[in-house]
Amino acid sequence: MSDRFDTGVAHPARRYNYWLGGKDNFAADRESGDLLAKSYPAARIAARANRAFLGRAVGHLAADAGIRQFLDIGTGLPTADNTHEVAQRVAPESRIVYVDNDPMVMVHARALLTSTPEGETRYIEDDLRNPEKILAQAQILDFDEPVGLILVAVVHFLPGQEQASAIVRTLLDALPSGSHLVMSCATTDFLTPELKANWDESLRTGRSDVHPRTRSEFDEFFAGLEVVSPGVVAVSEWRPDPAATEHATPVEASIFGAVGRKP
Ligand SMILES: C[S@@+](CC[C@H](N)C(=O)[O-])C[C@H]1O[C@@H](n2cnc3c(N)ncnc32)[C@H](O)[C@@H]1O
């Protein structure tokens, strides 16, 4: 392993993997996950609700919006129903570029590269804070054709709203009409004052790196886009699957989700 790969420090991808019940995590990630779950008991339910939203939203893009190219930044460790699997089930010719800044995701990237023969997948190790660099490396995407930009549970790792907004704008500006943004982002808007105070305290004391957004901050990311039905809602409320066995309440999910189309 390279020295960039520090298993003694918790990392969001591995902590999320732990919450989802995966095996690709270390003691530091589990400790951090348990600590955060103390101030936010629904963390595991929220992780599952978020993952399910990703699947439904990518399914919508592929099946209903005809999207055949995806730029998925903040991919996470491979697990069930990765973006390319959902998209290629609908349209085998789909092309997907994955981007994550965790070296551990790179180690497991082989599982993200199991494309259909008709389609293609690529993995880039980079940081969302370098949008121009990411766009320059995403050569398998044709920027004259609509792209699905997937920013699911990643923007809340950027503390500054202004910076995050500018990054999303840079990415969207590079995409043609008909492109879609799928985004989810943690929020404390649904929480009781007590849970909200817990969350704020976790951030203040450095126990959390998840920077929630208010509804109006989340809306900012969708400026100029046509937000598709049902609009901005808790991820669990976004076109819920009637067959699902678990349905998180907005308080449990505490993550906004939405899909917007670039006119
Ligand atoms: C909570 S996981 C979400 C994974 C997947 N998008 C999903 O929703 O199931 C967040 C992912 O974003 C990645 N990440 C966090 N900050 C990032 C950044 N600045 N640039 C790129 N990836 C980042 C983490 O490594 C992690 O894999």
Side-chain angles (χ1 to χ4, degrees):
M1 290 295 152
S2 76
D3 54 6
R4 298 174 307 132
F5 190 86
D6 186 351
T7 58
V9 177
H11 198 283
R14 306 186 298 244
R15 191 175 59 215
Y16 182 66
N17 175 268
Y18 171 57
W19 283 337
L20 286 175
K23 301 263 177 287
D24 301 313
N25 49 73
F26 297 96
D29 309 305
R30 296 191 283 274
E31 258 162 50
S32 161
D34 289 342
L35 204 63
L36 278 189
K38 263 189 202 148
S39 56
Y40 185 60
R44 285 183 180 78
I45 301 174
R48 290 195 292 269
N50 178 72
R51 186 74 193 174
F53 162 75
L54 170 69
R56 296 194 303 278
V58 170
H60 162 72
L61 261 53
D64 308 325
I67 299 292
R68 298 291 177 259
Q69 320 186 82
F70 297 81
L71 178 56
D72 182 349
I73 308 178
T75 304
L77 287 158
T79 177
D81 280 344
N82 300 300
T83 294
H84 75 283
E85 290 159 337
V86 176
Q88 291 184 343
R89 266 204 299 272
V90 177
E93 70 273 28
S94 299
R95 274 168 290 151
I96 292 91
V97 173
Y98 287 116
V99 184
D100 204 286
N101 70 347
D102 184 352
M104 176 97 169
V105 179
M106 178 63 123
V107 171
H108 289 266
R110 225 171 353 156
L112 297 169
L113 302 174
T114 56
S115 175
T116 55
E118 303 92 324
E120 195 169 351
T121 57
R122 285 280 167 87
Y123 180 78
I124 299 169
E125 186 179 311
D126 214 321
D127 198 291
L128 175 59
R129 282 166 286 201
N130 303 323
E132 279 107 352
K133 222 173 122 220
I134 290 174
L135 290 165
Q137 292 176 90
Q139 299 103 339
I140 66 162
L141 304 180
D142 174 358
F143 288 105
D144 292 328
E145 293 293 325
V147 173
L149 174 62
I150 315 294
L151 295 173
V152 173
V154 63
V155 163
H156 52 222
F157 295 111
L158 303 179
Q161 174 65 8
E162 217 173 290
Q163 182 199 26
S165 219
I167 289 169
V168 175
R169 195 61 24 220
T170 301
L171 291 166
L172 284 171
D173 282 351
L175 307 182
S177 162
S179 293
H180 282 63
L181 170 65
V182 173
M183 186 186 276
S184 75
C185 182
T187 183
T188 52
D189 280 18
F190 301 116
L191 295 183
T192 60
E194 194 196 350
L195 282 172
K196 185 177 175 339
N198 280 347
W199 194 314
D200 292 345
E201 176 67 8
S202 300
L203 266 175
R204 214 173 18 252
T205 54
R207 276 182 293 136
S208 175
D209 47 8
V210 179
H211 300 269
R213 295 304 200 273
T214 61
R215 169 65 197 262
S216 64
E217 287 171 333
F218 188 78
D219 284 351
E220 255 180 55
F221 296 119
F222 287 83
L225 302 185
E226 297 157 354
V227 179
V228 310
S229 167
V232 175
V233 287
V235 280
S236 49
E237 305 280 293
W238 197 89
R239 305 189 183 200
D241 175 359
T245 49
E246 181 172 69
H247 187 79
T249 63
V251 173
E252 286 170 331
S254 282
I255 303 175
F256 282 130
V259 175
R261 180 186 180 277
K262 187 169 175 178

